[in-house]
Amino acid sequence: MVISGVLWYNFNMKILGIETSCDETAAAVVEDGVKILSNVVVSQIDIFKEYGGVIPEVAARSHLEVMMPVVHKALTDAGCSWDEIDAIAVTHAPGLLGSLLIGTLTARTLAILHDKPLYAVHHLKSHVYANWLLADVQNSVSRDRTSSRPSSRGSASCALGSSLRELPRNTLSEHRPAFPLLALVISGGHTQILYMPGHNQFEIIGTTHDDAVGECFDKVAKILGLPYPGGPAVAKAALSGDAKKYKLPHPKVNALDFSFSGLKTAVLRAVQKEVGVPISCPSHKLKELLTPKQVADFAASFQKTAVDILVEKLEMAKEQYPDIKSLVVAGGVSANKALRDSLPEAYFPDVKLSGDNGAMVAAAAYYEIQSGVKPTDPYALNIYPRISIN
Ligand code: KG4
Ligand code: ZN
């Protein structure tokens, strides 16, 4: 329903979200930015674990093969015909050029074919809005926010002030983070702290000078001989490791910014030292020299250092922005259990929604619409492989 051009509001607004920015082909139908009616994700992990990383051309081809079946399944799972879809949303930035092209060309074609408004969404914005989604409406709205450990989505029993602790329970709106908020966005390509005074308003207050934290997990996994993607593999190995075994440095970076490339190199040097080889020994040779115990200890020590760095910066950000009412964590690395345990006051997406998916794209588009953002021209929509959130 369109009301006088500015605010396009519709109860039971169903948005088809399409995401192909990296190596997941995903589509989902979400109602009113919150309720997931379907969420289909086809991952290319099986292809890329043989190579230890994503090959952009292969990723694009793989998206092409499964894109339409994924969209079709998203509609079928949601029990929706095209008539019932109110809008299409797609990731147009940032990401791999070929991957973004497949998703946006698909969305543009479908928008023209079915005469639907089209919304182009920034990938980091989508990750943030995964925190507004209910993975399962019934279960999620009845979760106890005062419990000390959230089972999936974050609890709001926290150190941010009594107002959060006293939130009413079991209402649909209750699970939504309150503004102003700080969002820590941590993925394979980004590490940023965002200040959000309200919906669809983003100010970057901290960013990485080099590697993203997810990239660092992936690179450390390679050094340790753990499979791709590195984040989950390091987290698993860390479970049986001693996080105090190896002392790794915290980078000296200004204010709320990050740097993770030094940490990766510190792990490399510590491993070389531990196994008794010179620093000229290539990293791919190290895994054969490490015992399973050493791998677990390095994984645990590295994970603890990375988590501590993220938590320290968030603490600094909280001090600098005392007006904030909630903390939100988003992006693939937000699946990390050690980080979740270290930030019990923060909102985290359901683990299933931490990585790339179409539902978060639909949720972000819904709040863009609520903020008065106009649809984009499907004949002119462009992709931006490297563009900031604001
Ligand atoms: O958001 P995402 O799925 O894709 C990008 O937008 O980059 O994030 C992927 C990143 C990878 O670096 C992956 O290793 C990391 O998220 N990751 C994790 C965990 N699960 C995924 N890092 C640490 N712990 C995890 N459990
Ligand atoms: Zn992502």
Side-chain angles (χ1 to χ4, degrees):
M1 190 198 301
V2 181
I3 303 173
S4 74
V6 182
L7 195 66
W8 192 54
Y9 193 78
N10 186 1
F11 285 109
N12 307 118
M13 182 192 282
K14 293 185 181 64
I15 301 180
L16 171 70
I18 295 176
E19 154 61 37
T20 62
S21 66
C22 189
D23 59 347
E24 256 99 30
T25 317
V29 179
V30 174
E31 195 173 281
D32 295 336
V34 175
K35 185 174 173 185
I36 299 175
L37 303 184
S38 64
N39 191 24
V40 183
V41 181
V42 172
S43 173
Q44 301 171 5
I45 282 176
D46 284 346
I47 303 174
F48 295 125
K49 73 177 170 212
E50 286 188 31
Y51 303 99
V54 178
I55 301 168
E57 289 77 10
V58 178
R61 269 172 195 278
S62 178
H63 283 307
L64 190 57
E65 281 171 16
V66 299
M67 186 74 260
M68 281 317 293
V70 164
V71 169
H72 183 72
K73 185 161 167 40
L75 291 172
T76 312
D77 287 1
C80 279
S81 65
W82 274 108
D83 282 349
E84 292 167 274
I85 296 295
D86 295 295
I88 298 174
V90 65
T91 311
H92 75 131
L96 300 175
L97 187 145
S99 294
L100 288 169
L101 269 179
I102 304 301
T104 51
L105 284 172
T106 304
R108 291 169 65 182
T109 309
L110 291 172
I112 294 164
L113 200 63
H114 298 284
D115 196 21
K116 304 291 177 190
L118 177 64
Y119 291 86
V121 181
H122 191 283
H123 187 59
L124 296 195
K125 194 186 284 189
S126 303
H127 272 305
V128 171
Y129 275 103
N131 280 282
W132 272 257
L133 287 166
L134 296 171
D136 168 341
V137 164
Q138 268 74 30
N139 292 341
S140 297
V141 292
S142 64
R143 83 185 197 288
D144 183 350
R145 294 174 69 91
T146 58
S147 67
S148 60
R149 268 287 359 108
S151 58
S152 53
R153 202 174 304 275
S155 148
S157 57
C158 72
L160 284 175
S162 57
S163 59
L164 278 183
R165 273 193 291 271
E166 286 155 16
L167 280 169
R169 292 184 199 172
N170 299 347
T171 63
L172 196 61
S173 61
E174 167 243 337
H175 83 287
R176 294 169 182 172
F179 293 106
L181 61 81
L182 290 176
L184 174 69
V185 187
I186 39 178
S187 69
H190 294 85
T191 304
Q192 292 191 331
I193 304 179
L194 308 172
Y195 176 72
M196 284 182 74
H199 276 303
N200 207 35
Q201 296 167 25
F202 302 89
E203 186 192 334
I204 301 170
I205 60 168
T207 194
T208 181
H209 289 193
D210 38 58
D211 291 356
V213 62
E215 189 180 353
C216 191
F217 268 91
D218 294 337
K219 286 174 174 171
V220 166
K222 266 196 170 180
I223 294 169
L224 300 179
L226 296 169
Y228 172 86
V234 168
K236 193 169 165 210
L239 289 174
S240 54
D242 173 4
K244 294 200 186 102
K245 180 75 203 257
Y246 302 105
K247 201 141 181 56
L248 298 165
H250 284 215
K252 302 260 175 293
V253 198
N254 279 348
L256 301 177
D257 285 348
F258 299 91
S259 165
F260 281 100
S261 86
L263 178 56
K264 162 203 69 192
T265 309
V267 173
L268 175 63
R269 297 286 174 253
V271 172
Q272 288 166 327
K273 188 170 168 213
E274 181 74 14
V275 299
V277 296
I279 61 169
S280 54
C281 178
S283 59
H284 69 266
K285 294 223 163 117
L286 299 172
K287 57 178 182 272
E288 294 143 31
L289 306 169
L290 284 162
T291 65
K293 171 87 178 99
Q294 286 169 326
V295 169
D297 289 345
F298 271 115
S301 303
F302 159 71
Q303 178 177 258
K304 170 138 184 35
T305 310
V307 166
D308 285 351
I309 292 167
L310 295 172
V311 173
E312 268 165 30
K313 290 285 174 168
L314 257 191
E315 290 300 327
M316 278 173 69
K318 266 164 63 179
E319 274 168 32
Q320 288 183 29
Y321 291 81
D323 62 328
I324 59 138
K325 296 211 172 72
S326 24
L327 284 181
V328 161
V329 187
V333 183
S334 73
N336 188 275
K337 171 97 172 42
L339 180 65
R340 286 175 181 244
D341 289 345
S342 301
L343 288 170
E345 76 273 34
Y347 283 81
F348 282 83
D350 187 283
V351 173
K352 292 192 294 296
L353 300 169
S354 284
D356 296 347
N357 64 82
M360 67 187 194
V361 181
Y366 176 83
Y367 288 99
E368 282 195 352
I369 294 167
Q370 301 305 310
S371 309
V373 173
K374 294 284 188 333
T376 191
D377 178 356
Y379 289 96
L381 170 64
N382 220 332
I383 57 158
Y384 299 94
R386 298 172 69 84
I387 195 171
S388 169
I389 196 166
N390 59 8

